[in-house]
């Protein structure tokens, strides 16, 4: 199995929150502020990456096949 870095897959990183207070703040209707901005930090844990079909990139496509685990060749 080939090891890929996130930067090889995509130039953006999702916000990953586990603390309920952080989740509430992120989902709140509060205007953007330094407290919300402080949630934007690199994730320190391990992330698993899986291949997805090219059809995932088209918003009109909707299939349960998109959530099936596929391994990199």
């Amino acid at each position: 199995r080939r090891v890929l870095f996130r930067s090889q897959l995509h130039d953006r990183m999702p916000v990953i929150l586990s603390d309920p207070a952080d989740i509430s703040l992120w989902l709140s209707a509060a205007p953007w502020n330094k407290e919300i901005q402080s949630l934007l930090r690199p994730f320190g844990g391990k992330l698993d990456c899986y291949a997805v079909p090219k059809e995932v990139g088209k918003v009109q496509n909707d299939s349960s096949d998109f959530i099936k685990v596929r391994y990199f060749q």
Side-chain angles (χ1 to χ4, degrees):
R1 188 168 105 169
R2 196 167 68 140
V3 176
L4 297 174
F5 295 100
R6 182 198 55 81
S7 62
Q8 292 173 282
L9 301 174
H10 207 285
D11 63 350
R12 293 178 280 169
M13 177 72 180
V15 174
I16 300 174
L17 305 171
S18 58
D19 181 85
D22 290 348
I23 294 168
S24 292
L25 177 60
W26 183 257
L27 295 175
S28 74
W32 187 259
N33 59 52
K34 290 199 180 280
E35 186 180 14
I36 294 172
Q37 185 175 354
S38 74
L39 299 175
L40 303 178
R41 57 188 177 268
F43 180 67
K46 180 180 178 263
L47 295 175
D48 293 326
C49 296
Y50 300 96
V52 296
K54 65 182 179 185
E55 292 81 13
V56 168
K58 298 177 184 171
V59 295
Q60 69 269 23
N61 291 335
D62 185 17
S63 171
S64 61
D65 287 342
F66 295 164
I67 60 172
K68 292 180 181 172
V69 174
R70 298 171 185 234
Y71 294 96
F72 291 106
Q73 304 272 328

